[in-house]
Amino acid sequence: MAPLRIALAQVNPTVGDLIGNAAIVLRETKLARDAGAELVVFPEMMLTGYPVEDLALRESFQTASLGALDELATALVTSLLADIHVIVGYLGRVDPAAPAAPAAPAAPTARAAGAAGAAGDHALGAPRGAPQTCAAVLFGGEVVATYAKHHLPNYGVFDEFRYFVPGESPTVVRVGQSDVAISICEDLWQDGGPVAQVSELGADLLVVLNGSPYERNKDDVRLELCARRAREAGCPLAYVNMFGGQDELVFDGDSLVVDANGTLLARAPQFTADLLIVDVGESHSSANREALSDEAEVYSALVLGLHDYVTKNGFSSIVLGLSGGIDSALVAAIACDALGADNVYAVSMPSVYSSQHSRDDAADLATRTGLNYRVVEIAPMVSAYLGALNLTGLAEENLQARVRGTTLMAISNQ
């Protein structure tokens, strides 16, 4: 293939924030163009954030996503970025011009029912409005091509067949002197999926948009998969993944590019933003990033997940119990790294069973990290409950934990 400079935008979108996510696209596209890239690729569902879950079934949100896509195409022109191809994920629907249909009763066996109808139709098992997880190619102020995800995962943390209608057609777009094929996330994992068509289509490059959640050692699995699929497709493969936390999920980035032989050309770090610039079609030596240890990988995922859960939900601080034990010490350390010590409020709640050693350890950790710290003696409260209710057995054993929980809740509301 002719040399092509591409940029993979490993970024952190927020679910529902169409304006903020579009602003990220504009910012990263400018950086990519300034670096000489002809093509910049963003993750799956970039404009809407991922996973959108039930938002996908709202007609207003479907319409807003399509409108945001058109507005983004125009904004690229007004920002003097009309001369670079931008591939961005968004929420589409089978017929973008049609309104969403009323909800239809669900039928577990009607797995493919939604694939046949337009957005105005409805059938058993078809998601309302026939939404799709899509990728659009923007250039010159227009949407020049679109692609809808073919394979919808319905295992583990995924429930995509509830929300989306699968696509059926491949998409290849001309960028400079190269033909670029597009796939989305699960399409890469399925044997005989859209990747199998890439070689037949004669594409020079396959780009894959991803919302791939973190799992321990998944980076090794991704690299092997991308290498295998590149060899099957007979062309280089560029894999861009989002990073960030969304509720219980964490996305670790780990974007990468391999050549047609499956040799690694470039790789982005995990758990952080990155704009990976790669000249595809030129000779490269194998590129390896510094890998995290298993412990550092898990810790980074916990810090990122907590940070984004707190900030994306609009919280300003957190409150936690600090017992002096290892478990609460680890939680406090994660919280300080995620949010800054000034935004962490730790409460020691000693009882008659608390040793002086535990009290000292809690105070020492607070001093070392710099978090906000206070002590609330719960022994009088526990004694008052026991004296009033005469609790015994399991109820008595659980009382101390309940008093601590109530104390933390009261402090968090102060």
Side-chain angles (χ1 to χ4, degrees):
M1 65 175 289
L4 176 67
R5 177 165 289 187
I6 66 172
L8 304 185
Q10 182 171 293
V11 292
N12 185 357
T14 298
V15 168
D17 187 5
L18 296 170
I19 294 174
N21 295 338
I24 294 173
V25 174
L26 289 172
R27 182 193 71 207
E28 297 298 313
T29 299
K30 184 180 186 306
L31 293 173
R33 202 274 310 275
D34 290 347
E38 300 174 71
L39 169 67
V40 58
V41 188
F42 291 86
E44 179 178 7
M45 301 291 279
M46 175 66 212
L47 275 184
T48 61
Y50 179 84
V52 294
E53 298 184 329
D54 286 0
L55 282 175
L57 305 179
R58 294 189 182 183
E59 179 183 356
S60 59
F61 193 66
Q62 296 170 15
T63 302
S65 173
L66 293 166
L69 183 67
D70 290 335
E71 291 171 5
L72 176 60
T74 300
L76 288 166
V77 175
T78 58
S79 301
L80 305 180
L81 298 170
D83 57 344
I84 179 172
H85 286 79
V86 179
I87 302 181
V88 62
Y90 70 102
L91 175 65
R93 54 190 178 211
V94 171
D95 181 359
T109 58
R111 182 177 170 92
D121 301 328
H122 65 275
L124 291 179
R128 180 190 303 165
Q132 295 181 305
T133 170
C134 297
V137 184
L138 309 180
F139 184 74
E142 298 182 353
V143 179
V144 298
T146 61
Y147 173 87
K149 187 175 183 179
H150 290 200
H151 292 278
L152 305 176
N154 233 48
Y155 57 85
V157 300
F158 303 105
D159 190 18
E160 290 197 357
F161 219 92
R162 175 185 175 192
Y163 302 115
F164 302 116
V165 173
E168 298 178 342
S169 302
T171 297
V172 177
V173 64
R174 190 74 172 175
V175 179
Q177 302 179 55
S178 301
D179 290 326
V180 179
I182 302 172
S183 284
I184 298 178
C185 207
E186 187 71 12
D187 295 342
L188 185 72
W189 293 83
Q190 296 298 320
D191 292 331
V195 176
Q197 299 176 293
V198 173
S199 179
E200 301 172 8
L201 296 170
D204 300 302
L205 171 68
L206 171 61
V207 298
V208 186
L209 290 68
N210 297 274
S212 178
Y214 166 74
E215 297 175 22
R216 190 174 178 183
N217 297 322
K218 193 175 184 179
D219 54 338
D220 297 328
V221 177
R222 287 193 190 113
L223 177 57
E224 190 280 328
L225 175 68
C226 289
R228 186 169 75 250
R229 295 298 189 226
R231 290 190 292 268
E232 293 173 3
C235 67
L237 186 153
Y239 176 105
V240 61
N241 190 29
M242 68 178 62
F243 89 96
Q246 178 59 41
D247 293 332
E248 77 278 14
L249 299 180
V250 177
F251 302 92
D252 60 322
D254 190 36
S255 303
L256 58 93
V257 181
V258 296
D259 67 14
N261 297 316
T263 301
L264 181 65
L265 302 181
R267 196 167 195 176
Q270 291 177 284
F271 307 109
T272 188
D274 193 72
L275 186 65
L276 189 63
I277 307 292
V278 185
D279 292 314
V280 182
E282 295 185 352
S283 298
H284 289 268
S285 58
S286 179
N288 289 288
R289 56 131 202 257
E290 183 177 348
L292 297 173
S293 67
D294 285 353
E295 294 81 4
E297 188 180 272
V298 171
Y299 189 82
S300 297
L302 293 170
V303 168
L304 178 59
L306 177 60
H307 174 273
D308 279 8
Y309 182 83
V310 171
T311 58
K312 289 182 178 181
N313 283 288
F315 303 136
S316 59
S317 61
I318 65 169
V319 179
L320 57 87
L322 195 59
S323 68
I326 293 176
D327 51 354
S328 68
L330 177 59
V331 169
I334 291 170
C336 288
D337 284 346
L339 306 167
D342 288 346
N343 299 311
V344 179
Y345 293 80
V347 185
S348 172
M349 295 170 283
S351 72
V352 294
Y353 302 107
S354 300
S355 69
Q356 188 60 46
H357 184 68
S358 294
R359 297 175 184 229
D360 293 344
D361 283 352
D364 181 62
L365 184 139
T367 299
R368 290 173 182 272
T369 59
L371 54 72
N372 302 282
Y373 179 67
R374 64 186 292 187
V375 178
V376 177
E377 299 278 355
I378 67 167
M381 289 182 275
V382 173
S383 296
Y385 269 101
L386 289 175
L389 301 176
N390 194 29
L391 300 175
T392 60
L394 185 61
E396 180 181 1
E397 292 176 18
N398 286 336
L399 176 60
Q400 186 169 282
R402 301 297 180 267
V403 170
R404 285 191 170 121
T406 304
T407 302
L408 283 178
M409 184 177 297
I411 290 173
S412 67
N413 289 325
Q414 291 179 354

